[in-house]
Amino acid sequence: MPSGSDSHPVPLLSQSQRLVTAPVTTDPETPLRAALGAAYDVRLLDRTTRRRTHLDTPDQRLREAGLSLTQLENGVLVGRRGNDVAVNQDAGPIDWPALATELPDGPVRDLVAGAASIRALLALATVETRSTTFAVLNSDHKTVARVGWTEGELVSPAARSLGIKVEVERLRGYAPEAKDVRRRLVAAGLDVADGEPWRDAVLTAANAGRPSGRRFGMHADQPGDLAVADALLGYLAELEASVQGVVDDVDTEYLHDFRVAVRRTRSVLKLLGDVLPAEHVGWAAAEFRWLGDITTPTRDLDVYLLGMDGMRAAVSRPDDLDPFGAYVRARRQEAQAELADALRSPRYATLTRRWRAALAEAITAPTNRPETAGDLARTRIEHTFTQVSRRAKAIKTSSPSAQVHALRKKCKELRYLMEVFRPLCDPVAYKRVIADFKELQETLGEFQDGEVQAAGLRDFAAAMMRTGETPVETLLAMGQLSAEFDARQQRARSELDAHHESYLGKKAARHLDTLLSPGVSA
């Protein structure tokens, strides 16, 4: 409910916020008076009907941060942190999804922008509410709180009743009284809202119908080919959950999630594909390689745009990079259009349809190979760990960059293998093994990013020079950045040479052995 600081009865909504007066189907005054007893009086303020659209990022970052965000029919945005007093601002019509940075300046944007970060805000669900608002008065006839009695109905994505919620709004200077009012209402058995009413119900409705990440629960003694096919079905579900966001270019994380699902699929096909029918694995590997190829240009350009603030901070005259930023955005627009066309193509539709059918066939008619899921987990993870460790020990200061990049790829494969078999792993050991590899992967990522981005900057500079329209200052700033990326690569190389034993040595091997012990070796 909107905030108020005075001690006089005032309407809950301002004139600009008030919508349609409508009757509430349940008389709330009698149960409120009964709950509050002789300590307080209640006075009717207003009755309203309004619609509110609940907003959050696709991965519900606002909810994780304890925030809620809704928009009223008249364009007013209402944000709240937990049980705090809500803040609101008039935002006008907004075409959702939208980034938080695209919202008008104001307290709501300030509240949610940090938590939402680079993810777009989506309209998850719409609720229609019929509210009666009362002032709660003490024995001195001072308003010490306001209480809203609200009946809710989910309008979209599916219509259903949400029941009744009671909200308590504290007023400045009367926090103890508001706490007492809330305590009395809860004691009377009324459903008092914590934060945004029905937010959990709304998010549950918004998540209904999303593809499931897994079809079956993995256990150590199930057939290995069934476990592998099940994992691949999960990655296909992740792919399909992201594809429309990629095509619509909602935010950059949809493409990132899509590419992760593709990489996981390719790694599983490479490391575990031999347990599946060979006639399916060959063409699937080629098609998922195609998906990796067509998504790479857009993602590479996203990396530059996402890092633009950091690059501006790294040069002496940040504004000199503006032409570079404009050039990358134009290139990205072209790459994104090509990517969207590819994902709308018959080839992509055929890939997903044929792959789903192939995996269903593998599940319903397994190959009856003798390996169990536990067998596969132990043998394949141990084998890949040995390969990673051997490659890491072989890298010297003089080793070529390609050797370091190959180690990074093999580390990713090991990570994906562990993710496939995580249900079979000891949870504590799993966290330890992941921690063992986290610094290594970050170091390897710094090394590759430094080399790739330095080379990319030089390519961009050459292409921009050919246009004959690039200021010299911009080219100099890009050269300064390229030198910084080269230095970052060298720092990462030094760290890798100094610490690879702690990343992949005896401690990591012990953790790995514990990881596979609980149900895998049975």
Side-chain angles (χ1 to χ4, degrees), residues 40 42 59 72 99 109 120 125 140 359 383 421 428 471 487 501:
Y40 300 99
V42 296
D59 49 0
L72 306 183
L99 296 173
R109 172 175 167 165
D140 295 329
L359 294 175
H383 176 70
F421 294 112
V428 175
E501 174 60 26

Side-chain angles (χ1 to χ4, degrees), residues 117-175:
S117 185
I118 61 175
R119 298 245 60 178
L121 296 166
L122 310 177
L124 298 181
T126 299
V127 172
E128 185 174 280
T129 59
R130 298 176 295 280
S131 300
T132 305
T133 306
F134 297 88
V136 179
L137 292 77
N138 62 11
S139 58
D140 295 329
H141 305 290
K142 299 291 187 180
T143 300
V144 298
R146 286 196 281 268
V147 172
W149 177 289
T150 305
E151 297 180 48
E153 180 180 353
L154 187 67
V155 177
S156 66
R160 69 181 179 90
S161 173
L162 295 172
I164 296 171
K165 288 281 189 180
V166 180
E167 297 176 81
V168 179
E169 181 189 0
R170 69 174 184 266
L171 302 182
R172 187 178 300 167
Y174 293 100

